[in-house]
Amino acid sequence: MSDAKLQAVLSSLSPAARQLDALPCDRPAPATDYIKLNTNENPFPLPTIVWQSAIAALERQYLYPEEDNISLREAAANAYGLTKDHVIAGNGSSELLGLIYRAFLAPGDSVAMISPGFSFNRKLAMLQGAQLLEIGTSEARSLPLEQLLLGPANNAKFILLANPNNPTGTFVPVADIECLLAQSNRLIVLDEAYVDFAPDNGLRLVSRYPNLLLLRTFSKSYAAAGIRVGFGFGHPELIGRLRNIQNVFNMNVVGHAIGTSILAHRAAYEENHQYIRHERQRVTTALAQLGFSVTPSYANFLLARVPEGKDGRWWQAALETQKILVAFFPDKSLGDCIRVSIGTETQMDAFLAAVGHISEILRSGRSRASRS
Ligand SMILES: Cc1ncc(COP(=O)(O)O)c(C=O)c1O
Protein backbone atom coordinates (compact mmCIF):
# COMPACT_ATOMS: atom_id res chain seq x y z
CA MET A 1 0.00 0.00 0.00
CA SER A 2 1.35 3.47 -0.85
CA ASP A 3 2.00 5.88 2.01
CA ALA A 4 -0.75 8.22 0.87
CA LYS A 5 -3.25 5.37 0.70
CA LEU A 6 -2.20 4.12 4.14
CA GLN A 7 -2.64 7.63 5.60
CA ALA A 8 -6.07 7.93 3.96
CA VAL A 9 -7.14 4.59 5.42
CA LEU A 10 -5.80 5.37 8.89
CA SER A 11 -7.44 8.77 9.07
CA SER A 12 -10.77 7.33 7.90
CA LEU A 13 -10.87 5.01 10.91
CA SER A 14 -12.56 5.82 14.21
CA PRO A 15 -10.45 8.04 16.48
CA ALA A 16 -10.24 5.55 19.38
CA ALA A 17 -7.10 3.76 18.22
CA ARG A 18 -5.46 7.05 17.13
CA GLN A 19 -5.51 8.27 20.72
CA LEU A 20 -2.94 5.66 21.60
CA ASP A 21 0.06 7.30 20.05
CA ALA A 22 2.60 4.50 20.45
CA LEU A 23 2.54 1.13 18.74
CA PRO A 24 2.24 -1.82 21.16
CA CYS A 25 5.47 -3.08 22.68
CA ASP A 26 7.05 -5.64 20.38
CA ARG A 27 10.10 -6.51 22.44
CA PRO A 28 10.64 -10.26 22.32
CA ALA A 29 10.40 -12.18 25.59
CA PRO A 30 13.71 -11.87 27.45
CA ALA A 31 16.14 -14.76 27.16
CA THR A 32 15.65 -17.37 29.86
CA ASP A 33 18.85 -16.34 31.64
CA TYR A 34 17.19 -13.03 32.62
CA ILE A 35 15.59 -12.91 36.06
CA LYS A 36 12.12 -11.57 35.43
CA LEU A 37 10.83 -9.55 38.38
CA ASN A 38 8.84 -6.95 36.45
CA THR A 39 5.30 -8.32 36.00
CA ASN A 40 4.44 -9.98 39.32
CA GLU A 41 4.16 -13.57 38.21
CA ASN A 42 4.42 -16.36 40.76
CA PRO A 43 7.78 -18.09 40.16
CA PHE A 44 6.77 -21.67 41.02
CA PRO A 45 5.49 -24.52 38.84
CA LEU A 46 1.86 -25.67 39.01
CA PRO A 47 1.15 -28.47 41.51
CA THR A 48 1.54 -31.83 39.71
CA ILE A 49 -2.15 -32.64 39.97
CA VAL A 50 -3.09 -29.33 38.31
CA TRP A 51 -0.48 -29.86 35.61
CA GLN A 52 -1.93 -33.33 34.82
CA SER A 53 -5.35 -31.78 34.18
CA ALA A 54 -3.80 -29.63 31.45
CA ILE A 55 -2.32 -32.65 29.69
CA ALA A 56 -5.68 -34.41 29.80
CA ALA A 57 -7.41 -31.32 28.38
CA LEU A 58 -5.08 -31.24 25.40
CA GLU A 59 -6.68 -34.47 24.22
CA ARG A 60 -9.82 -32.45 23.53
CA GLN A 61 -8.00 -29.80 21.49
CA TYR A 62 -10.06 -30.50 18.32
CA LEU A 63 -13.29 -29.41 20.04
CA TYR A 64 -14.36 -25.88 20.90
CA PRO A 65 -14.24 -25.24 24.62
CA GLU A 66 -17.48 -25.38 26.60
CA GLU A 67 -19.73 -22.42 25.85
CA ASP A 68 -19.99 -19.64 28.44
CA ASN A 69 -17.42 -21.43 30.65
CA ILE A 70 -20.28 -23.10 32.54
CA SER A 71 -18.35 -25.85 34.40
CA LEU A 72 -15.57 -23.45 35.38
CA ARG A 73 -18.11 -20.88 36.60
CA GLU A 74 -19.89 -23.59 38.58
CA ALA A 75 -16.61 -24.74 40.12
CA ALA A 76 -15.76 -21.14 41.10
CA ALA A 77 -19.26 -20.59 42.49
CA ASN A 78 -18.90 -23.72 44.66
CA ALA A 79 -15.41 -22.77 45.81
CA TYR A 80 -16.40 -19.22 46.77
CA GLY A 81 -19.91 -19.87 48.12
CA LEU A 82 -21.90 -18.21 45.31
CA THR A 83 -24.11 -19.37 42.42
CA LYS A 84 -22.83 -19.64 38.87
CA ASP A 85 -25.02 -16.66 37.90
CA HIS A 86 -22.83 -14.56 40.21
CA VAL A 87 -19.71 -15.57 38.25
CA ILE A 88 -18.13 -14.60 34.93
CA ALA A 89 -14.88 -16.27 33.80
CA GLY A 90 -12.32 -14.42 31.74
CA ASN A 91 -9.16 -14.90 29.76
CA GLY A 92 -7.33 -13.31 32.65
CA SER A 93 -8.99 -10.63 34.76
CA SER A 94 -7.76 -8.00 32.28
CA GLU A 95 -10.33 -9.33 29.79
CA LEU A 96 -13.00 -8.72 32.43
CA LEU A 97 -11.74 -5.20 33.13
CA GLY A 98 -12.03 -4.50 29.39
CA LEU A 99 -15.63 -5.81 29.37
CA ILE A 100 -16.54 -3.59 32.32
CA TYR A 101 -15.30 -0.49 30.48
CA ARG A 102 -17.13 -1.48 27.28
CA ALA A 103 -20.36 -2.40 29.04
CA PHE A 104 -20.68 0.51 31.45
CA LEU A 105 -18.97 3.56 29.88
CA ALA A 106 -19.86 5.79 26.96
CA PRO A 107 -17.62 8.48 25.43
CA GLY A 108 -17.53 11.51 27.73
CA ASP A 109 -18.22 9.49 30.89
CA SER A 110 -15.76 9.38 33.74
CA VAL A 111 -14.38 6.61 35.90
CA ALA A 112 -12.45 7.05 39.14
CA MET A 113 -9.40 5.15 40.34
CA ILE A 114 -7.18 5.45 43.39
CA SER A 115 -3.81 6.80 42.24
CA PRO A 116 -1.25 5.51 41.56
CA GLY A 117 -3.17 2.49 40.26
CA PHE A 118 -2.99 -0.29 37.68
CA SER A 119 -1.92 1.61 34.57
CA PHE A 120 -3.88 -0.61 32.14
CA ASN A 121 -6.96 1.32 33.29
CA ARG A 122 -5.65 4.45 31.58
CA LYS A 123 -5.62 2.68 28.24
CA LEU A 124 -9.08 1.20 28.76
CA ALA A 125 -10.56 4.60 29.67
CA MET A 126 -8.89 6.26 26.70
CA LEU A 127 -10.20 3.65 24.27
CA GLN A 128 -13.70 4.23 25.59
CA GLY A 129 -13.35 8.01 25.18
CA ALA A 130 -13.83 8.29 28.95
CA GLN A 131 -11.98 10.36 31.51
CA LEU A 132 -10.01 8.53 34.18
CA LEU A 133 -10.10 10.54 37.42
CA GLU A 134 -7.06 9.54 39.41
CA ILE A 135 -7.81 10.21 43.07
CA GLY A 136 -4.44 10.89 44.65
CA THR A 137 -3.87 9.05 47.88
CA SER A 138 -0.47 7.70 47.11
CA GLU A 139 0.42 4.82 49.44
CA ALA A 140 -2.51 5.46 51.83
CA ARG A 141 -3.52 2.87 54.41
CA SER A 142 -7.20 3.82 54.31
CA LEU A 143 -9.73 4.83 51.65
CA PRO A 144 -10.30 8.56 51.01
CA LEU A 145 -14.02 8.07 51.60
CA GLU A 146 -14.89 11.75 51.52
CA GLN A 147 -13.19 12.29 48.17
CA LEU A 148 -14.83 9.20 46.73
CA LEU A 149 -18.32 10.07 48.01
CA LEU A 150 -18.40 13.83 47.57
CA GLY A 151 -15.81 14.86 45.00
CA PRO A 152 -15.93 14.45 41.22
CA ALA A 153 -15.62 10.68 41.77
CA ASN A 154 -19.24 10.75 42.86
CA ASN A 155 -20.20 11.45 39.23
CA ALA A 156 -18.03 8.69 37.87
CA LYS A 157 -19.81 5.70 36.35
CA PHE A 158 -17.75 3.41 38.51
CA ILE A 159 -14.94 3.54 41.04
CA LEU A 160 -11.98 1.21 40.72
CA LEU A 161 -10.15 -0.01 43.79
CA ALA A 162 -7.34 -2.53 43.71
CA ASN A 163 -6.78 -4.10 47.12
CA PRO A 164 -3.87 -4.76 47.58
CA ASN A 165 -3.09 -1.91 45.21
CA ASN A 166 -0.71 -2.16 42.27
CA PRO A 167 1.93 -0.66 42.09
CA THR A 168 2.10 0.35 45.78
CA GLY A 169 1.29 -3.02 47.41
CA THR A 170 -0.75 -1.18 50.06
CA PHE A 171 -3.90 -2.68 51.56
CA VAL A 172 -6.92 -0.83 52.93
CA PRO A 173 -9.27 -2.37 55.54
CA VAL A 174 -12.21 -4.24 54.01
CA ALA A 175 -14.40 -2.24 56.45
CA ASP A 176 -13.51 0.94 54.48
CA ILE A 177 -14.65 -0.71 51.27
CA GLU A 178 -17.86 -1.83 52.93
CA CYS A 179 -18.48 1.79 54.04
CA LEU A 180 -18.07 2.98 50.47
CA LEU A 181 -20.37 0.25 49.12
CA ALA A 182 -23.02 1.09 51.71
CA GLN A 183 -22.90 4.86 51.22
CA SER A 184 -22.46 5.06 47.45
CA ASN A 185 -24.93 4.23 44.72
CA ARG A 186 -22.05 3.92 42.28
CA LEU A 187 -20.69 0.66 40.95
CA ILE A 188 -17.51 -0.25 42.83
CA VAL A 189 -15.05 -2.50 40.98
CA LEU A 190 -12.83 -4.17 43.54
CA ASP A 191 -9.80 -5.71 41.87
CA GLU A 192 -8.37 -8.38 44.18
CA ALA A 193 -5.59 -9.64 41.88
CA TYR A 194 -3.15 -9.89 44.84
CA VAL A 195 -5.54 -10.65 47.69
CA ASP A 196 -4.20 -14.13 48.52
CA PHE A 197 -1.06 -12.43 49.88
CA ALA A 198 -3.13 -10.10 52.12
CA PRO A 199 -4.76 -10.57 55.54
CA ASP A 200 -8.41 -10.22 54.42
CA ASN A 201 -10.61 -10.07 51.32
CA GLY A 202 -13.95 -8.69 50.14
CA LEU A 203 -15.65 -11.89 48.98
CA ARG A 204 -18.24 -11.77 51.79
CA LEU A 205 -19.45 -8.42 50.42
CA VAL A 206 -20.55 -9.83 47.05
CA SER A 207 -23.88 -11.19 48.23
CA ARG A 208 -24.50 -8.13 50.46
CA TYR A 209 -23.97 -5.29 47.98
CA PRO A 210 -25.48 -5.25 44.47
CA ASN A 211 -23.11 -2.39 43.55
CA LEU A 212 -19.97 -4.52 43.90
CA LEU A 213 -18.05 -6.24 41.12
CA LEU A 214 -15.12 -8.22 42.51
CA LEU A 215 -12.28 -9.37 40.25
CA ARG A 216 -9.85 -12.20 40.92
CA THR A 217 -7.08 -13.75 38.84
CA PHE A 218 -5.11 -16.99 38.90
CA SER A 219 -2.08 -15.17 37.38
CA LYS A 220 -0.45 -14.13 40.66
CA SER A 221 -1.21 -16.39 43.60
CA TYR A 222 -1.94 -19.54 41.55
CA ALA A 223 1.05 -19.43 39.20
CA ALA A 224 -1.05 -19.51 36.02
CA ALA A 225 -0.30 -16.15 34.33
CA GLY A 226 0.46 -17.85 31.02
CA ILE A 227 -2.79 -19.82 31.08
CA ARG A 228 -5.06 -16.74 31.47
CA VAL A 229 -7.77 -17.43 34.04
CA GLY A 230 -9.69 -14.69 35.83
CA PHE A 231 -13.08 -14.30 37.48
CA GLY A 232 -15.62 -11.60 38.18
CA PHE A 233 -18.13 -11.98 41.01
CA GLY A 234 -21.21 -9.81 41.45
CA HIS A 235 -24.97 -9.51 41.29
CA PRO A 236 -26.37 -11.73 38.49
CA GLU A 237 -27.82 -8.63 36.76
CA LEU A 238 -24.38 -7.03 36.49
CA ILE A 239 -22.65 -10.29 35.64
CA GLY A 240 -25.30 -11.07 33.00
CA ARG A 241 -24.64 -7.74 31.27
CA LEU A 242 -20.95 -8.57 31.04
CA ARG A 243 -21.55 -12.16 29.86
CA ASN A 244 -23.83 -10.81 27.13
CA ILE A 245 -21.05 -8.84 25.47
CA GLN A 246 -18.25 -11.37 26.00
CA ASN A 247 -16.60 -13.08 23.03
CA VAL A 248 -17.79 -16.63 22.36
CA PHE A 249 -15.15 -19.17 23.38
CA ASN A 250 -13.14 -16.52 25.20
CA MET A 251 -11.14 -19.18 27.06
CA ASN A 252 -9.59 -22.42 25.87
CA VAL A 253 -9.80 -26.04 27.04
CA VAL A 254 -6.49 -25.84 28.91
CA GLY A 255 -7.61 -22.73 30.80
CA HIS A 256 -10.87 -24.46 31.71
CA ALA A 257 -9.07 -27.58 32.97
CA ILE A 258 -6.36 -25.76 34.90
CA GLY A 259 -8.81 -23.23 36.36
CA THR A 260 -11.14 -26.00 37.55
CA SER A 261 -8.27 -28.03 38.97
CA ILE A 262 -6.78 -25.04 40.84
CA LEU A 263 -10.19 -24.38 42.39
CA ALA A 264 -10.23 -27.97 43.65
CA HIS A 265 -6.66 -27.79 44.99
CA ARG A 266 -6.31 -24.33 46.45
CA ALA A 267 -4.92 -25.79 49.66
CA ALA A 268 -1.89 -27.01 47.67
CA TYR A 269 -0.80 -23.37 47.37
CA GLU A 270 -0.61 -22.58 51.06
CA GLU A 271 3.15 -23.09 51.29
CA ASN A 272 3.64 -21.00 48.15
CA HIS A 273 1.73 -18.07 49.66
CA GLN A 274 3.54 -18.39 52.98
CA TYR A 275 6.87 -18.37 51.16
CA ILE A 276 5.95 -15.17 49.27
CA ARG A 277 4.96 -13.39 52.50
CA HIS A 278 8.16 -14.47 54.22
CA GLU A 279 10.43 -13.61 51.29
CA ARG A 280 8.70 -10.23 50.87
CA GLN A 281 9.74 -9.37 54.43
CA ARG A 282 13.29 -10.64 53.97
CA VAL A 283 13.79 -8.55 50.80
CA THR A 284 12.14 -5.48 52.38
CA THR A 285 14.65 -5.60 55.24
CA ALA A 286 17.61 -6.23 52.93
CA LEU A 287 16.63 -3.37 50.60
CA ALA A 288 16.26 -1.01 53.57
CA GLN A 289 19.82 -1.89 54.61
CA LEU A 290 20.94 -0.94 51.10
CA GLY A 291 19.38 2.53 51.45
CA PHE A 292 16.02 1.90 49.72
CA SER A 293 12.76 2.96 51.31
CA VAL A 294 10.21 0.19 50.79
CA THR A 295 6.45 0.62 51.11
CA PRO A 296 5.11 -2.15 53.38
CA SER A 297 3.57 -4.60 50.92
CA TYR A 298 0.61 -6.97 51.10
CA ALA A 299 1.17 -8.29 47.58
CA ASN A 300 3.81 -10.38 45.81
CA PHE A 301 5.90 -7.33 44.90
CA LEU A 302 7.62 -4.39 46.55
CA LEU A 303 7.55 -0.72 45.61
CA ALA A 304 10.99 0.57 46.55
CA ARG A 305 12.07 4.22 46.55
CA VAL A 306 15.70 4.25 45.37
CA PRO A 307 18.47 6.04 47.31
CA GLU A 308 19.07 9.69 46.44
CA GLY A 309 21.29 10.42 43.43
CA LYS A 310 19.72 8.30 40.68
CA ASP A 311 16.10 7.78 39.68
CA GLY A 312 14.01 4.66 39.18
CA ARG A 313 14.57 4.56 35.43
CA TRP A 314 18.36 4.58 36.01
CA TRP A 315 18.11 1.69 38.47
CA GLN A 316 15.89 -0.27 36.12
CA ALA A 317 18.49 0.11 33.34
CA ALA A 318 21.39 -0.66 35.69
CA LEU A 319 19.69 -3.86 36.88
CA GLU A 320 18.94 -4.85 33.29
CA THR A 321 22.68 -4.80 32.55
CA GLN A 322 22.90 -7.44 35.31
CA LYS A 323 20.12 -9.42 33.54
CA ILE A 324 17.49 -8.53 36.12
CA LEU A 325 14.19 -7.02 35.01
CA VAL A 326 12.19 -4.78 37.37
CA ALA A 327 9.34 -2.35 36.64
CA PHE A 328 9.59 1.43 36.42
CA PHE A 329 6.62 3.82 36.06
CA PRO A 330 7.04 7.23 34.46
CA ASP A 331 4.32 8.80 36.69
CA LYS A 332 5.53 11.89 38.56
CA SER A 333 4.99 10.36 42.01
CA LEU A 334 6.86 7.18 41.07
CA GLY A 335 9.91 8.59 39.27
CA ASP A 336 12.21 7.58 42.11
CA CYS A 337 10.76 4.08 42.49
CA ILE A 338 11.18 0.61 41.08
CA ARG A 339 8.72 -2.23 41.54
CA VAL A 340 10.17 -5.67 42.18
CA SER A 341 8.23 -8.95 42.09
CA ILE A 342 8.99 -11.60 44.67
CA GLY A 343 10.67 -14.50 42.87
CA THR A 344 12.40 -17.61 44.16
CA GLU A 345 14.97 -17.27 46.94
CA THR A 346 17.77 -17.76 44.38
CA GLN A 347 16.32 -15.03 42.16
CA MET A 348 15.95 -12.62 45.09
CA ASP A 349 19.50 -13.33 46.27
CA ALA A 350 20.73 -12.52 42.75
CA PHE A 351 18.62 -9.33 42.74
CA LEU A 352 19.98 -8.21 46.13
CA ALA A 353 23.54 -9.02 45.09
CA ALA A 354 23.08 -6.94 41.92
CA VAL A 355 21.64 -4.02 43.93
CA GLY A 356 24.59 -4.27 46.34
CA HIS A 357 27.06 -4.37 43.45
CA ILE A 358 25.51 -1.32 41.74
CA SER A 359 25.38 0.58 45.05
CA GLU A 360 29.07 -0.17 45.58
CA ILE A 361 30.00 1.14 42.12
CA LEU A 362 27.97 4.32 42.81
CA ARG A 363 29.65 4.77 46.19
CA SER A 364 33.18 4.35 44.82
CA GLY A 365 32.35 6.74 41.94
CA ARG A 366 31.18 9.35 44.44
CA SER A 367 34.23 9.04 46.67
CA ARG A 368 36.56 9.29 43.62
CA ALA A 369 34.70 12.45 42.54
CA SER A 370 34.96 14.01 46.03
CA ARG A 371 38.71 13.31 46.16
CA SER A 372 39.42 14.89 42.75
C1 LIG B 1 -4.22 -4.90 39.82
C2 LIG B 1 -4.23 -5.85 38.65
N1 LIG B 1 -5.39 -6.21 38.13
C3 LIG B 1 -5.46 -7.05 37.09
C4 LIG B 1 -4.32 -7.55 36.50
C5 LIG B 1 -4.47 -8.45 35.29
O1 LIG B 1 -4.18 -9.77 35.57
P1 LIG B 1 -4.54 -10.92 34.58
O2 LIG B 1 -5.08 -10.34 33.32
O3 LIG B 1 -3.28 -11.68 34.36
O4 LIG B 1 -5.58 -11.76 35.27
C6 LIG B 1 -3.08 -7.19 37.00
C7 LIG B 1 -1.85 -7.68 36.36
O5 LIG B 1 -0.75 -7.26 36.62
C8 LIG B 1 -3.03 -6.30 38.11
O6 LIG B 1 -1.87 -5.89 38.63
Coordinates of all heavy atoms in Angstrom, one line a residue, residues 39-40 90-97 117-121 161-167 191-194 215-220 224-226 228-231 301 339, ligand 1:
T39 N 6.7 -8.3 36.3 CA 5.3 -8.3 36.0 C 4.5 -9.2 37.0 O 3.4 -9.6 36.7 CB 5.0 -8.8 34.6 OG1 5.9 -9.9 34.2 CG2 5.2 -7.7 33.5
N40 N 5.2 -9.4 38.2 CA 4.4 -10.0 39.3 C 3.9 -11.4 39.1 O 2.8 -11.7 39.6 CB 3.3 -9.0 39.8 CG 3.8 -7.7 40.2 OD1 5.0 -7.5 40.4 ND2 3.0 -6.7 40.2
G90 N -13.0 -15.2 32.8 CA -12.3 -14.4 31.7 C -11.0 -15.0 31.4 O -10.4 -15.7 32.1
N91 N -10.5 -14.6 30.2 CA -9.2 -14.9 29.8 C -8.2 -14.0 30.5 O -7.7 -13.0 29.9 CB -9.1 -14.7 28.2 CG -8.0 -15.4 27.6 OD1 -7.0 -14.9 27.3 ND2 -8.3 -16.7 27.3
G92 N -8.0 -14.2 31.8 CA -7.3 -13.3 32.7 C -8.3 -12.3 33.1 O -9.4 -12.1 32.5
S93 N -8.0 -11.6 34.3 CA -9.0 -10.6 34.8 C -8.9 -9.4 33.9 O -9.8 -8.5 33.9 CB -8.7 -10.3 36.2 OG -7.4 -9.8 36.4
S94 N -7.8 -9.2 33.1 CA -7.8 -8.0 32.3 C -8.8 -8.0 31.2 O -9.3 -7.0 30.8 CB -6.4 -7.8 31.7 OG -5.9 -9.0 31.2
E95 N -9.2 -9.3 30.7 CA -10.3 -9.3 29.8 C -11.6 -8.8 30.5 O -12.4 -8.0 29.8 CB -10.6 -10.8 29.3 CG -11.7 -10.8 28.3 CD -12.5 -12.1 28.2 OE1 -12.1 -13.1 28.8 OE2 -13.5 -12.1 27.5
L96 N -11.8 -9.1 31.7 CA -13.0 -8.7 32.4 C -13.0 -7.2 32.7 O -14.0 -6.6 32.6 CB -13.1 -9.5 33.7 CG -13.2 -11.0 33.5 CD1 -13.3 -11.7 34.9 CD2 -14.4 -11.4 32.7
L97 N -11.8 -6.7 33.0 CA -11.7 -5.2 33.1 C -12.2 -4.5 31.8 O -12.9 -3.6 31.8 CB -10.3 -4.8 33.4 CG -9.9 -4.6 34.9 CD1 -8.4 -4.4 35.0 CD2 -10.7 -3.5 35.6
G117 N -2.5 3.8 40.4 CA -3.2 2.5 40.3 C -2.7 1.7 39.1 O -1.6 2.0 38.5
F118 N -3.4 0.6 38.8 CA -3.0 -0.3 37.7 C -3.1 0.5 36.4 O -4.2 0.8 35.9 CB -3.9 -1.5 37.7 CG -3.6 -2.6 36.7 CD1 -2.3 -2.9 36.3 CD2 -4.7 -3.3 36.2 CE1 -2.1 -3.9 35.4 CE2 -4.5 -4.3 35.3 CZ -3.2 -4.6 34.9
S119 N -2.0 0.7 35.7 CA -1.9 1.6 34.6 C -2.7 1.2 33.4 O -3.1 2.0 32.5 CB -0.5 1.9 34.1 OG 0.1 0.6 33.8
F120 N -3.1 -0.1 33.3 CA -3.9 -0.6 32.1 C -5.2 0.1 32.1 O -5.8 0.3 31.0 CB -4.1 -2.1 32.3 CG -4.8 -2.8 31.3 CD1 -4.5 -2.7 29.9 CD2 -5.9 -3.7 31.6 CE1 -5.2 -3.3 28.9 CE2 -6.6 -4.4 30.6 CZ -6.3 -4.2 29.3
N121 N -5.7 0.6 33.3 CA -7.0 1.3 33.3 C -6.9 2.6 32.5 O -7.9 3.0 31.9 CB -7.4 1.6 34.7 CG -7.8 0.4 35.5 OD1 -8.8 -0.2 35.1 ND2 -7.0 -0.1 36.4
L161 N -11.1 0.1 42.7 CA -10.2 0.0 43.8 C -9.4 -1.3 43.6 O -10.0 -2.3 43.3 CB -10.9 -0.1 45.1 CG -12.0 0.9 45.4 CD1 -12.8 0.4 46.7 CD2 -11.4 2.2 45.7
A162 N -8.1 -1.3 43.7 CA -7.3 -2.5 43.7 C -6.8 -2.7 45.1 O -6.2 -1.8 45.7 CB -6.2 -2.5 42.7
N163 N -7.1 -3.9 45.7 CA -6.8 -4.1 47.1 C -6.3 -5.5 47.3 O -7.1 -6.5 47.1 CB -8.0 -3.9 48.0 CG -7.6 -3.6 49.4 OD1 -6.6 -2.9 49.7 ND2 -8.4 -4.0 50.4
P164 N -5.0 -5.7 47.5 CA -3.9 -4.8 47.6 C -3.8 -4.0 46.3 O -4.1 -4.5 45.2 CB -2.6 -5.6 47.8 CG -3.1 -6.9 48.4 CD -4.5 -7.1 47.9
N165 N -3.2 -2.8 46.4 CA -3.1 -1.9 45.2 C -1.8 -2.2 44.4 O -0.8 -2.6 45.0 CB -3.1 -0.5 45.7 CG -3.2 0.5 44.5 OD1 -3.9 0.3 43.5 ND2 -2.5 1.6 44.6
N166 N -1.9 -2.1 43.1 CA -0.7 -2.2 42.3 C -0.5 -0.7 41.7 O -1.5 -0.2 41.2 CB -1.0 -3.2 41.1 CG 0.2 -3.3 40.2 OD1 1.3 -2.8 40.4 ND2 -0.1 -3.9 39.0
P167 N 0.6 -0.1 41.8 CA 1.9 -0.7 42.1 C 2.4 -0.4 43.5 O 3.6 -0.7 43.8 CB 2.8 0.1 41.1 CG 2.2 1.5 41.1 CD 0.7 1.3 41.2
D191 N -10.7 -4.8 42.6 CA -9.8 -5.7 41.9 C -8.9 -6.4 42.9 O -8.0 -5.7 43.5 CB -9.0 -4.9 40.9 CG -8.0 -5.7 40.0 OD1 -7.8 -6.8 40.4 OD2 -7.5 -5.1 39.0
E192 N -9.1 -7.7 43.1 CA -8.4 -8.4 44.2 C -7.3 -9.3 43.6 O -7.2 -10.5 44.0 CB -9.3 -9.2 45.1 CG -10.2 -8.2 46.0 CD -10.8 -9.0 47.1 OE1 -11.1 -10.2 47.0 OE2 -11.1 -8.3 48.2
A193 N -6.6 -8.8 42.6 CA -5.6 -9.6 41.9 C -4.6 -10.2 42.9 O -4.1 -11.3 42.7 CB -4.9 -8.8 40.8
Y194 N -4.2 -9.5 43.9 CA -3.1 -9.9 44.8 C -3.6 -10.3 46.2 O -2.9 -10.4 47.2 CB -2.2 -8.7 45.0 CG -1.6 -8.3 43.6 CD1 -2.1 -7.3 42.9 CD2 -0.5 -9.0 43.1 CE1 -1.6 -6.9 41.7 CE2 0.1 -8.7 41.9 CZ -0.5 -7.6 41.2 OH 0.0 -7.3 39.9
L215 N -13.1 -8.7 41.2 CA -12.3 -9.4 40.3 C -11.2 -10.2 40.9 O -10.6 -9.7 41.9 CB -11.6 -8.4 39.3 CG -12.6 -7.5 38.4 CD1 -11.8 -6.6 37.5 CD2 -13.5 -8.4 37.6
R216 N -11.0 -11.4 40.4 CA -9.8 -12.2 40.9 C -9.1 -12.7 39.7 O -9.7 -12.8 38.6 CB -10.4 -13.4 41.7 CG -11.0 -13.1 43.1 CD -10.0 -12.9 44.1 NE -10.6 -12.5 45.4 CZ -10.9 -13.4 46.4 NH1 -10.7 -14.7 46.2 NH2 -11.5 -13.0 47.5
T217 N -7.9 -13.1 39.9 CA -7.1 -13.8 38.8 C -6.3 -14.9 39.4 O -5.9 -14.9 40.6 CB -6.1 -12.7 38.2 OG1 -5.3 -13.4 37.2 CG2 -5.2 -12.1 39.2
F218 N -6.0 -15.9 38.5 CA -5.1 -17.0 38.9 C -3.7 -16.7 38.4 O -2.8 -17.6 38.4 CB -5.6 -18.3 38.3 CG -6.8 -18.9 39.2 CD1 -7.4 -20.1 38.8 CD2 -7.2 -18.3 40.3 CE1 -8.4 -20.6 39.5 CE2 -8.3 -18.8 41.1 CZ -8.9 -20.0 40.7
S219 N -3.4 -15.5 37.9 CA -2.1 -15.2 37.4 C -1.0 -15.0 38.5 O 0.1 -15.2 38.2 CB -2.1 -13.9 36.6 OG -3.0 -14.0 35.5
K220 N -1.4 -14.5 39.6 CA -0.4 -14.1 40.7 C -0.3 -15.2 41.7 O 0.7 -15.8 41.8 CB -0.9 -12.8 41.3 CG -1.4 -11.7 40.3 CD -0.3 -11.3 39.4 CE -0.8 -10.2 38.4 NZ 0.2 -9.8 37.5
A224 N -0.5 -19.1 37.3 CA -1.1 -19.5 36.0 C -1.2 -18.3 35.1 O -2.1 -18.2 34.3 CB -2.4 -20.2 36.2
A225 N -0.2 -17.4 35.2 CA -0.3 -16.1 34.3 C -0.3 -16.5 32.8 O -1.1 -15.8 32.1 CB 0.9 -15.2 34.6
G226 N 0.4 -17.5 32.4 CA 0.5 -17.8 31.0 C -0.8 -18.6 30.5 O -1.0 -18.8 29.3
R228 N -4.0 -17.8 31.6 CA -5.1 -16.7 31.5 C -6.4 -17.2 32.1 O -7.3 -17.7 31.3 CB -5.3 -16.3 30.0 CG -4.0 -16.0 29.2 CD -3.1 -15.0 29.8 NE -3.7 -13.7 29.9 CZ -3.7 -12.9 31.0 NH1 -3.1 -13.4 32.1 NH2 -4.3 -11.8 31.1
V229 N -6.5 -17.1 33.4 CA -7.8 -17.4 34.0 C -8.1 -16.3 35.0 O -7.3 -16.0 35.9 CB -7.7 -18.8 34.8 CG1 -9.0 -19.1 35.5 CG2 -7.3 -19.9 33.9
G230 N -9.3 -15.7 34.9 CA -9.7 -14.7 35.8 C -11.2 -14.8 36.1 O -11.9 -15.5 35.3
F231 N -11.7 -14.2 37.1 CA -13.1 -14.3 37.5 C -13.6 -12.9 37.9 O -12.9 -12.1 38.5 CB -13.3 -15.3 38.7 CG -12.9 -16.7 38.4 CD1 -11.7 -17.2 38.8 CD2 -13.8 -17.5 37.6 CE1 -11.4 -18.5 38.6 CE2 -13.4 -18.8 37.3 CZ -12.2 -19.3 37.8
F301 N 4.9 -8.2 45.5 CA 5.9 -7.3 44.9 C 6.2 -6.2 45.9 O 5.4 -6.1 46.9 CB 5.4 -6.7 43.6 CG 4.1 -6.0 43.7 CD1 4.1 -4.7 44.2 CD2 2.9 -6.6 43.4 CE1 2.9 -4.0 44.3 CE2 1.7 -5.9 43.5 CZ 1.7 -4.6 44.0
R339 N 9.6 -1.2 41.0 CA 8.7 -2.2 41.5 C 9.3 -3.6 41.2 O 9.7 -3.9 40.1 CB 7.3 -2.2 41.0 CG 6.3 -3.0 41.7 CD 5.0 -3.2 41.0 NE 5.3 -4.0 39.8 CZ 4.5 -4.2 38.7 NH1 3.3 -3.6 38.7 NH2 4.9 -4.9 37.7
Ligands
LIG1 C1 -4.2 -4.9 39.8 C2 -4.2 -5.8 38.7 N1 -5.4 -6.2 38.1 C3 -5.5 -7.1 37.1 C4 -4.3 -7.6 36.5 C5 -4.5 -8.4 35.3 O1 -4.2 -9.8 35.6 P1 -4.5 -10.9 34.6 O2 -5.1 -10.3 33.3 O3 -3.3 -11.7 34.4 O4 -5.6 -11.8 35.3 C6 -3.1 -7.2 37.0 C7 -1.8 -7.7 36.4 O5 -0.7 -7.3 36.6 C8 -3.0 -6.3 38.1 O6 -1.9 -5.9 38.6

